[in-house]
């Protein structure tokens, strides 16, 4: 079972509340809070699509640019010594720190 779903470039979480007997979730990767729920998987998917469509319609009505989920840029906080080691490693291998981080993440994600 997958615990995410995607629609129009937005990724939504899938959770289940045994207490309430409901599936629920929220759109991930944006600041706006878009949540949805359903008693069945089909209802959850439908409500997720509706939440995204409503958000995009509201942005259009208010002339705001919708947030893009996962723009490809994020801040990473690591210990200073590891930061130093990463810079030295990248320089010794003729690559930028950004390339080293991207390569490391790609290897980890594809390995799992």
């Amino acid at each position: 079972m997958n615990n995410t779903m995607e629609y129009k470039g937005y990724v939504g979480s899938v959770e289940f509340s045994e207490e309430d007997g409901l599936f629920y979730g929220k759109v991930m990767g944006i600041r706006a809070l878009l949540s949805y729920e359903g008693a069945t998987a089909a209802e959850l998917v439908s409500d997720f699509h509706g939440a995204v469509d409503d958000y995009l319609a509201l942005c259009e009505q208010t002339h705001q640019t919708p947030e893009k989920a996962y723009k490809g840029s994020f801040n990473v906080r690591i210990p200073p010594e590891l930061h130093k080691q990463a810079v030295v490693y990248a320089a010794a291998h003729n690559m930028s720190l950004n390339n080293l981080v991207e390569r490391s993440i790609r290897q980890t994600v594809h390995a799992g």
Side-chain angles (χ1 to χ4, degrees):
M1 179 174 143
N2 193 351
N3 61 354
T4 61
M5 54 188 164
E6 189 171 346
Y7 178 65
K8 294 187 177 179
Y10 293 91
V11 177
S13 64
V14 176
E15 305 284 339
F16 179 71
S17 170
E18 185 176 4
E19 181 180 321
D20 299 322
L22 288 174
F23 293 99
Y24 66 95
K26 67 179 183 176
V27 174
M28 303 178 334
I30 62 173
R31 290 178 303 220
L33 177 59
L34 304 180
S35 61
Y36 42 87
E37 64 180 40
T40 66
E43 286 179 12
L44 180 72
V45 171
S46 178
D47 206 37
F48 167 56
H49 289 189
V52 171
D53 288 339
D54 289 348
Y55 170 68
L56 295 174
L58 178 63
C59 288
E60 187 175 331
Q61 288 174 352
T62 59
H63 306 289
Q64 294 182 1
T65 302
E67 287 183 76
K68 283 189 172 185
Y70 311 110
K71 297 174 254 187
S73 174
F74 63 98
N75 293 326
V76 178
R77 290 174 186 82
I78 59 175
E81 184 59 27
L82 181 58
H83 187 176
K84 174 184 165 189
Q85 291 169 349
V87 169
V88 170
Y89 179 92
H93 290 85
N94 259 349
M95 60 177 27
S96 69
L97 182 58
N98 190 72
N99 291 122
L100 174 64
V101 171
E102 179 183 352
R103 187 181 83 179
S104 299
I105 291 172
R106 189 178 308 279
Q107 287 174 345
T108 299
V109 169
H110 291 301

